[in-house]
Amino acid sequence: MSATDSIQPGQPIRLKILRQVCPNSAPYWEEFVVTYQANMNVVSALMEIEAKPVNAEGKETTPVAYDAACLEEVCGSCTMVINGRARQSCSTLIRDLKQPITLQPLRKFPVLRDLVVDRAEMFQRLTQVKAWVPIDGTFALGPGPKMSEKVRALAYEFSRCMTCGCCLDACPQVNKRSSFMGPSAVGQVYLFNSHPTGAELAEDRLDELSKPGGIAECGNAQNCEKACPKKIPLTDALAHLGRRTTVHAIKKLLEQ
Amino acid sequence: MATTTSSSNNIIVIGGGLGGLMSTIRAVEAGLDVDLFSLVPARRSHSVCAQGGINAAKNLRGEGDSPAKHFDESVYGGDFLANQPLVKDMAEAAPHLVDLLDRMGVMFNRTSEGFLDFRRFGGTLFHRTAFSGATTGQQMIYSLDEQVRHWESLGRVRMHEFWEMLDLVIDEEGTCRGIIAQDLRTMAIESFRSDVVVLATGGLGMIFGRSTNSTICTGAAGARAHLCGARYANPEFIQVHPTAIPGADKLRLMSESARGEGGRVWVPKDPKDARVAKDIPESARWYFLEERYPTYGNLVPRDIASREIFKVCSESRGIAGQRMVYLDLTHISVEDLNNRLGGILDIYEKFVGEDPRRVPMKVFPAVHYSMGGLWVDYVKDAETGGVLKGHPRNHMTNIPGLYAVGEADYQYHGANRLGANSLLSCLYGGTLVGPSTAAYLTGLKRRCDDVPSSLYQAKVERQKQRERELLARDGKDNPYVIWRELGESMTLNATVVRDNAQLAKTEEKVIELQQRLRKAAIPDKGGYRNQALTFTRGLEDMMVLARTIVYAATLRDECRGSHYKPKFELPPVDSDDPAVHSQQVQTWCKAFKVNTERWLKTTVADFTGVDARPKIDYQPVDTSLIPPRPRTYGLKGAKKVEEAWAKMSRADAAAK
C-alpha cells in the first residue's frame, strides 16, 4: 500500500541523492525539496530540480545527472536505486515511497556522474552469448518458421528484457570478486535457444554458459526475478539452462 | 583533436532506431562498413515506444486485403499529400518485411495454428496489423539491434553510443563530407570523415513540451541539417494521437491497438453525471465516434479522432466537464486483453493506479508524430509507377551525400500517418537507403579523404567556440523553464485546431524565447556528462524548427489531414431541404477542386537565418496513381458528396 497515501499536490517532498561529479571523484549526498504534483513520479522530481537547481539548504547547485528516454518503462534508461531497490524512476510513483526518498546510481556498474552509470558490460554479454538469430540476409526469402502460440508466448516474456540492470543490481553473485554475466544474459540465451533458427547457435551459447562467469556462478538466490520490472521468469531459465549446460558439458567430455 | 579518417567504404548513420538500424544492415549487405552514432544505446531508441504493430496486407483472413488496398488507404489517410510511388512500393514490400522480422525472431502473436495473427487499426476495415503483444516497436528494434550487433562482432559496424551529432561538414562544392560529434560523457568534440551521412534521427515531440515522444526526440539533428542548407518539407503536419494518458512529465501513449481490439471511446451524455464509469448505463453513454462515423467507428484515422475528442471537450462535454474522455476495454475478456494488450495495460495501471481491465481509461490527445521532415528525393520507375531501386538519389536530401530516413524525413505519410505505418516506413526507407548510398559512392569521383583537414578542424573549432559561448551566458532565466514555455505555446496554438491570429502570437512567443535563451545561464559548467549544456544547445536549435512549423502552418490556409483551420473549411453540406442540399453538394465539390489545385502541394522550407522566417516554396505532389478524392470516412450524410465528386471527375476526364 502507499507509504504516503495522504500526500497532496503542493506539499513538499524530500529527496536525498547520492551524487558524484565524474567517474573518479568521491560520492556525496545532497538533499532537495520538491513540490508534489498529482501522480508525480521520481523522474518528474528530477525534472523539477533541473528547472530549479537549488538544494534543500537553499543553495544553488547543478542539476542532477540521470539517464532517461521513453519515460514509460520500455527503454530501461532511467533505472536507479530508489529507497534501496533498483527500479525505473519513470514508473516509480512518489506517493508509494517513504520520505526522504533516497536515490543512488545502480550499484553493480561504474558510476559516470550522479545517477548515470555505464552498463556497456550488459551489451558486451549479449555479443558473448550470440544473442541473435542467424539469418541468411534481409531479402525476400519467404516467411519465418511456424511457431506455436504457446512457445511464442513464453519466448515473448524473455524478449521484453530492457537490459535495464535491475536483476544484476539485486544478484548477490554479481560483485567485484566474481565474473558472473548476470541473469539477463542467461535469459537471452533461453530466448534465442527457443527460437527454431536461433537454436542453430544453441551449442555455442551453452559453451559460453559453461565458461567462468557463466551459469555455474548463479547462487540460486532468486532475487533476479523479484527485481525484474517485467517479471520475466528468470529463475526458470536459470534452472533449465543450468541442467542443459551440465548435459552439454558431459557430452563434450565424452566426445573428447 | 583527432579526426577519424574513414576508409572509402564507410558511411555514417546517425540514430539507432529502426530507420538507422535497417539502413545500417542494408548498407553492410551492400558491401559498406558503417559508423553508427546514437544518443543512447540503440536498444533504448524511441522506436521502443511503438506499441500497436506494423501494417502488411498479407490477407491471412480471407478478407480480400491486398497491397493495392493498403496503398490506397495510406494515400487516402494522408489526404493525398504523399508522393505515391514511394507509398505504393512500401505497401508492396510490407508483407516481405514482416516475413523478414519474423525470420529475425520478432515474437509476433500467433493464431492457434501457428500463423501470424493480425489485428485492426485506424483508417482500414481489414485485419492488417501484425503485432507482438503491445510492445511491437520494442520487439522489432531488439531484433534489428541484434542483427547489427552480429555485424559489429564481425567488424563491419562500429557503434558510437552516447555520441551526439553537432554539425555536418559540407565542402566548398556543397557536398556532405562528414560530421562533427560530441562524446556525451567526456564532452570531447571530434570530426568524422565520410562521404555519406544518413540522418535517422526520429521525431521532434520535445518542441511541444510534453508529448508521447521520448526525451531524446528533440528534432535538433534535423534542425542542424536545416541550418546547413538541407531543405525541410511539410513542417506544419504534426500528428496528434487521440488517446494518451496525461502526466506531469510525459503524455504516455495509449495505443490505437486498444481500439483495434474493440476499445470504445465515450463520454457520459450528461457531463454532470457524477457516477463512476461502470455505473453509467449504456443508455446514458455517448459513443460519439461510432455515432458520427458508423463505418469506421472508433477506428477513424488519428487526425479525425483527435479533432472529434477535442471538439467534445471544448464544448465542456468531456468527463465531468474536463478535457478527458473514456477509452473502454472492460467488455473484453481479461485473458484476451492480457495476451494482446498486456504491456500497455500494465503501464496504465502503474502510472494511474487503476486497472483498465476493470475500469475505463481516461485519455486525451497528445502530440505524437511529425509527418514533415527533411526533404528527400526519389527517382520514379516509369514502368512500374514505383521507385527506381538502387538509384543514388532515393532518400537523398538536397545536399549530395546527406540522406534522411524514418520520421526524420517527410515522405510516405502525407498530411496524416495511418497507425502502424511508421514502423513500416522506417524499415522500408532503410531498405532503400542501403543500396542508394552504395550506388552514390560508386559514382563519386572526389572523396572525403581528398578534402583538406583544415575544413574539419575549423568546424570542430566552431563547435568548441559555440560551447564556450553557451557556458559563458549568465542571465537569470533557466533553459528548462524556457523549454516548458515553448511547449505550452506550441501545444496550445499549433496542434489540433489552428488559427492565424494565434499562430502569429506563437511566432512572437518563439522569437521572445529564442532571445531569452541567448542570455539564459546554463546551470552546470561541468566538463563531464554535462546534460544541461547538451539540453540547452539542442533547445536553441529546436527553436529554429519551432518557428518553421509555425510559419508554414500560418501560410497554409486550408484544412488537410492533421492541419485544421476552421476558418478555411470547405462550405457546409448540412441542409435538410433536398434541393438546397443538392446545391450545397455542387458548391462543395467545386470548392474541393479549387482547393486541391491550390493546396495539394508539398511545403518546402529553406533556412535563411536564425532570426528570420524560412523561405517557403511549394512543390507538386505525385498523385499519378490514385487521383485525389474527398476524404469523408463514411461520415453520416457524406455519401452524396462522394457520388457527386465521382460524377464531376468522370465528366472532367471525358472533357479531356
Side-chain angles (χ1 to χ4, degrees), chain A residues 72-232:
Chain A
E72 54 192 58
E73 207 193 74
V74 278
C75 81
S77 294
C78 70
T79 312
M80 57 186 69
V81 177
I82 302 170
N83 282 0
R85 198 183 122 200
R87 50 204 294 193
Q88 280 71 51
S89 58
C90 65
S91 53
T92 305
L93 301 184
I94 300 277
R95 64 167 181 249
D96 297 334
L97 299 171
K98 279 210 177 82
Q99 288 188 36
I101 298 162
T102 60
L103 305 182
Q104 291 167 255
L106 285 167
R107 292 164 288 204
K108 305 290 171 73
F109 302 97
V111 176
L112 297 175
R113 185 173 182 186
D114 295 342
L115 302 170
V116 180
V117 296
D118 183 358
R119 282 174 278 189
E121 195 198 326
M122 289 189 79
F123 297 104
Q124 287 153 12
R125 295 296 189 186
L126 295 180
T127 308
Q128 185 195 338
V129 301
K130 301 189 179 174
W132 54 74
V133 173
I135 58 166
D136 286 349
T138 64
F139 301 92
L141 300 174
K146 219 166 135 186
M147 201 186 289
S148 94
E149 171 60 17
K150 244 185 220 161
V151 172
R152 196 288 312 179
L154 181 59
Y156 177 69
E157 296 295 321
F158 290 90
S159 69
R160 295 173 71 205
C161 172
M162 307 182 284
T163 335
C164 68
C166 285
C167 59
L168 277 77
D169 189 86
C171 176
Q173 297 300 105
V174 176
N175 59 52
K176 290 210 171 77
R177 296 174 306 282
S178 113
S179 57
F180 183 37
M181 62 173 62
S184 67
V186 179
Q188 294 304 295
V189 170
Y190 185 89
L191 169 65
F192 286 96
N193 283 8
S194 71
H195 186 273
T197 319
E200 292 295 319
L201 298 173
E203 307 272 297
D204 293 12
R205 297 192 191 102
L206 294 179
D207 279 345
E208 292 304 319
L209 292 189
S210 313
K211 288 180 183 168
I215 199 157
E217 300 193 32
C218 166
N220 202 24
Q222 307 200 355
N223 290 0
C224 49
E225 197 168 313
K226 281 177 234 143
C228 176
K230 298 297 171 192
K231 301 283 164 264
I232 298 171

Side-chain angles (χ1 to χ4, degrees), chain B residues 512-530:
Chain B
E512 176 215 311
L513 293 172
Q514 227 174 349
Q515 283 162 359
R516 275 168 54 194
L517 186 63
R518 281 183 201 149
K519 297 195 199 92
I522 294 175
D524 188 351
K525 313 287 181 200
Y528 198 88
R529 190 75 171 127
N530 187 336

Side-chain angles (χ1 to χ4, degrees), chain B residues 44-180:
Chain B
R44 307 200 197 284
S45 302
H46 180 63
S47 303
V48 293
C49 287
Q51 298 172 344
I54 175 167
N55 287 332
K58 283 178 80 82
N59 192 34
L60 293 190
R61 294 207 175 187
E63 295 169 320
D65 196 9
S66 66
K69 291 197 167 119
H70 182 190
F71 168 41
D72 180 83
E73 289 179 341
S74 299
V75 165
Y76 182 58
D79 220 345
F80 296 87
L81 198 63
N83 288 303
Q84 295 180 0
L86 284 163
V87 189
K88 173 180 180 282
D89 281 9
M90 174 177 82
E92 284 172 2
H96 304 298
L97 289 169
V98 167
D99 282 344
L100 168 64
L101 294 166
D102 189 24
R103 286 172 45 225
M104 283 181 182
V106 173
M107 291 296 167
F108 285 119
N109 279 52
R110 305 274 163 169
T111 64
S112 53
E113 199 185 329
F115 290 105
L116 296 183
D117 199 359
F118 285 80
R119 67 173 153 218
R120 280 195 59 199
F121 240 74
T124 182
L125 301 173
F126 296 105
H127 288 79
R128 186 186 288 152
T129 307
F131 62 100
S132 186
T135 61
T136 315
Q138 183 192 32
Q139 303 305 310
M140 283 174 53
I141 198 167
Y142 287 0
S143 288
L144 265 75
D145 177 56
E146 286 143 11
Q147 295 300 321
V148 168
R149 182 164 292 108
H150 185 200
W151 285 120
E152 186 193 15
S153 76
L154 299 172
R156 300 292 304 282
V157 176
R158 270 188 298 181
M159 300 297 278
H160 306 261
E161 290 168 328
F162 298 105
W163 279 80
E164 182 179 26
M165 184 201 85
L166 302 182
D167 201 0
L168 296 169
V169 180
I170 313 276
D171 71 9
E172 69 286 356
E173 293 169 358
T175 301
C176 183
R177 299 295 187 181
I179 62 164
I180 308 300

Side-chain angles (χ1 to χ4, degrees), chain B residues 305-581:
Chain B
S306 287
R307 262 195 305 277
E308 295 291 343
I309 293 171
F310 217 75
K311 191 159 166 262
V312 164
C313 293
S314 301
E315 291 164 359
S316 303
R317 299 196 64 180
I319 305 165
Q322 293 177 320
R323 293 170 75 77
M324 270 188 291
V325 299
Y326 287 122
L327 171 56
D328 198 342
L329 293 167
T330 58
H331 54 287
I332 303 169
S333 85
V334 171
E335 195 194 346
D336 275 353
L337 289 177
N338 285 340
N339 184 31
R340 300 166 78 89
L341 297 172
I344 51 169
L345 302 184
D346 289 346
I347 289 297
Y348 185 88
E349 196 169 359
K350 274 193 186 178
F351 285 99
V352 181
E354 288 178 339
D355 181 358
R357 297 161 193 88
R358 289 177 183 84
V359 183
M361 295 180 276
K362 291 177 187 163
V363 296
F364 192 71
V367 167
H368 184 55
Y369 187 88
S370 170
M371 273 72 71
L374 291 165
W375 181 91
V376 292
D377 205 356
Y378 65 93
V379 176
K380 195 171 165 177
D381 184 335
E383 236 170 80
T384 65
V387 179
L388 195 61
K389 304 288 180 329
H391 198 286
R393 264 163 52 203
N394 292 336
H395 273 269
M396 196 193 278
T397 67
N398 57 305
I399 298 176
L402 181 67
Y403 290 76
V405 67
E407 193 174 344
D409 80 52
Y410 89 103
Q411 298 281 10
Y412 301 102
H413 308 298
N416 170 64
R417 175 174 67 74
L418 284 194
N421 263 357
S422 61
L423 295 178
L424 178 59
S425 62
C426 285
L427 284 189
Y428 181 69
T431 65
L432 290 184
V433 165
S436 300
T437 56
Y440 171 74
L441 286 177
T442 306
L444 197 65
K445 291 202 179 68
R446 187 173 181 239
R447 302 302 295 259
C448 62
D449 293 336
D450 306 325
V451 175
S453 43
S454 56
L455 179 65
Y456 294 89
Q457 280 160 11
K459 279 277 196 177
V460 167
E461 199 38 57
R462 220 175 95 184
Q463 286 304 317
K464 287 185 174 168
Q465 177 56 33
R466 183 181 183 189
E467 187 163 305
R468 282 193 290 273
E469 187 271 318
L470 278 158
L471 289 169
R473 295 173 184 180
D474 58 0
K476 287 249 177 299
D477 258 320
N478 174 302
Y480 293 92
V481 173
I482 292 177
W483 165 66
R484 287 181 187 186
E485 287 185 40
L486 173 72
E488 277 163 27
S489 185
M490 291 294 289
T491 302
L492 191 64
N493 301 318
T495 53
V496 180
V497 179
R498 290 166 171 180
D499 167 88
N500 284 342
Q502 295 297 324
L503 289 168
K505 274 189 205 156
T506 308
E507 190 182 19
E508 279 169 32
K509 181 74 185 175
V510 175
I511 294 167
E512 176 215 311
L513 293 172
Q514 227 174 349
Q515 283 162 359
R516 275 168 54 194
L517 186 63
R518 281 183 201 149
K519 297 195 199 92
I522 294 175
D524 188 351
K525 313 287 181 200
Y528 198 88
R529 190 75 171 127
N530 187 336
Q531 293 178 322
L533 169 65
T534 302
F535 178 86
T536 307
R537 183 174 40 211
L539 180 59
E540 199 162 76
D541 297 336
M542 284 153 67
M543 294 280 187
V544 173
L545 270 194
R547 220 178 143 182
T548 305
I549 292 167
V550 172
Y551 185 54
T554 309
L555 294 187
R556 186 175 280 273
D557 283 336
E558 67 151 354
C559 299
R560 184 176 301 281
S562 67
H563 175 74
Y564 175 65
K565 272 188 188 171
K567 279 198 183 136
F568 297 90
E569 269 189 302
L570 296 183
V573 182
D574 55 2
S575 177
D576 292 330
D577 180 332
V580 178
H581 188 268

Side-chain angles (χ1 to χ4, degrees), chain A residues 26-47:
Chain A
Y28 63 98
W29 290 95
E30 189 164 30
E31 291 197 32
F32 293 87
V33 177
V34 167
T35 305
Y36 184 71
Q37 300 168 35
N39 285 338
M40 195 178 200
N41 51 5
V42 169
V43 79
S44 300
L46 293 170
M47 290 176 180

